[in-house]
């Protein structure tokens, strides 16, 4: 039953299981995010070794995202998710055991992050596709808001400090926590009761399945435009964040620990955005919600780029993070409502591949522009780019009636 106007929709017991699993798993992810660079630095204290481990975790989204989306549509998503978590638990536990015996070489850490990244492309696409099978359409914004909140808390607030503290006690301890988190997350997902018909059996080739998803997305003018807007937003954010540490530490001459406080302010803003996403849907139309998110991001970046106070930079970083999370919730919810069940995984993976293409481009342009015109230039440019993209909002607002 749909919620009445202004009421908060009931999300139900099945979503509670998904949310609990996500919260536990993402806490383990946050722990691992902190410990892998520390392990790499302990084995080979060079920038190349640390960056190699980081790159190994990001490459799968470029290489295998479309494949992961196709798997999410070929198999029952609930089963695919808990089995993927079980595999990840075994992988991390094996490396944890190795660490307790002796520090593994860097290539082992790189292989681990690569394998976990490949598994993530399967799990995340399946999870995105599964959510509309356990939550009614009018509850998707609230549900995605809660999931985004868990991401912020686990990956930014709790996980990294817990991981660093455990690493100081025993190098393998954080990986044990991560492995246990995967195992625990698999249990509630396994018991989720999804709407019948989730997933399907395909006799077509994997290549044909992937091509079908890409064609569907590219043929849907509204969602294609949404993916392009995501690409612009990702480019704008990466332009700014690639040089943010230099603005804080070098230009504003703040101590290095202050940069951590700026990041914490961003996490707080993102958490606020996750709570605001559901109520915003009850009060504003889709176009207005997208405009709020993009305006918050654009204004925050422009003001931060011109700021002469670290306190103002932190406040603007919080505002920008608020806008990013509100945007994420609206965009994911719209996609979940509009894409046919049998195509959700493949369309989601194609959407991410298009949208996230702005991340490496923004990182590269941020370095070039920062070198040529100073560290403020990429931040201000990112904000102006985000604000310029508001011209797309009237066309994106039509998705609410699609």
């Amino acid at each position: 039953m749909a919620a009445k106007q202004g009421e908060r929709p009931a999300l139900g017991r099945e979503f509670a299981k998904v949310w609990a699993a996500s919260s536990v798993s993402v806490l383990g992810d946050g722990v691992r995010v902190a410990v892998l660079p520390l392990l790499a630095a302990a084995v080979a204290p060079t920038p190349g070794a640390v960056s190699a481990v980081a790159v190994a975790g990001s490459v799968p989204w470029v290489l295998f995202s479309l494949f992961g989306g196709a798997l999410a549509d070929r198999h029952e998503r609930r089963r695919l998710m808990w089995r993927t978590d079980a595999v990840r638990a075994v992988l991390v536990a094996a490396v944890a055991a190795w660490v307790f015996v002796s520090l593994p070489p860097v290539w082992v850490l790189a292989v681990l992050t690569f394998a976990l990244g490949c598994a993530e492309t399967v799990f995340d696409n399946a999870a995105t596709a599964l959510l509309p099978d356990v939550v009614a359409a009018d509850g998707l914004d609230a549900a995605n808001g809660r999931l985004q909140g868990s991401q912020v808390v686990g990956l930014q607030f709790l996980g990294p400090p817990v991981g660093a503290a455990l690493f100081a006690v025993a190098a393998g301890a954080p990986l044990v926590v991560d492995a246990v988190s995967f195992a625990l997350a698999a249990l509630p997902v396994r018991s989720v009761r999804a709407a019948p018909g989730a997933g399907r059996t395909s006799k077509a080739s994997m290549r044909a399945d992937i091509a079908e998803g890409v064609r569907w997305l590219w043929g849907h003018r509204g969602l294609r435009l949404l993916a392009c807007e995501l690409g612009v937003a990702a480019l704008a954010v990466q332009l700014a964040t690639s040089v943010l540490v230099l603005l804080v530490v070098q230009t504003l001459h703040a101590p290095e620990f202050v940069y951590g406080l700026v990041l914490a302010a961003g996490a707080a803003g993102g958490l606020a955005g996750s709570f605001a996403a559901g109520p915003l849907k009850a009060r504003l139309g889709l176009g207005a919600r997208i405009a709020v998110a993009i305006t918050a991001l654009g204004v925050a970046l422009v003001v931060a780029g011109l700021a002469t106070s670290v306190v103002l930079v932190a406040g603007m970083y919080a505002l920008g993070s608020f806008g990013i999370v509100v945007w994420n919730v609206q965009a994911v919810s719209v996609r979940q409502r509009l894409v046919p069940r049998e195509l959700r995984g493949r369309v989601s993976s194609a959407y991410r591949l298009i949208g996230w293409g702005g991340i490496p481009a923004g990182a590269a342009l941020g370095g070039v522009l920062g070198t040529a015109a100073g560290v403020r230039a990429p931040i201000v440019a990112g904000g102006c780019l985000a604000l310029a993209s508001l011209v797309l909002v009237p066309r994106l607002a039509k998705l609410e009636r699609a």
Side-chain angles (χ1 to χ4, degrees), residues 32-44 46-60 95 104-117 175:
R32 187 179 67 253
V33 163
V35 74
L36 283 178
L38 292 172
L39 275 173
V43 174
T46 64
V50 176
S51 64
V53 174
V55 169
S58 61
V59 167
V95 175
V106 169
W107 70 263
V108 171
L109 301 178
V111 168
L112 174 65
T113 56
F114 181 79
L116 292 176
L175 293 179

Side-chain angles (χ1 to χ4, degrees), residues 201-221:
T201 301
S202 174
K203 295 182 179 179
S205 68
M206 185 67 71
R207 182 176 179 179
D209 269 0
I210 291 172
E212 183 182 10
V214 173
R215 282 196 304 268
W216 193 96
L217 174 63
W218 200 248
H220 194 293
R221 183 177 299 177

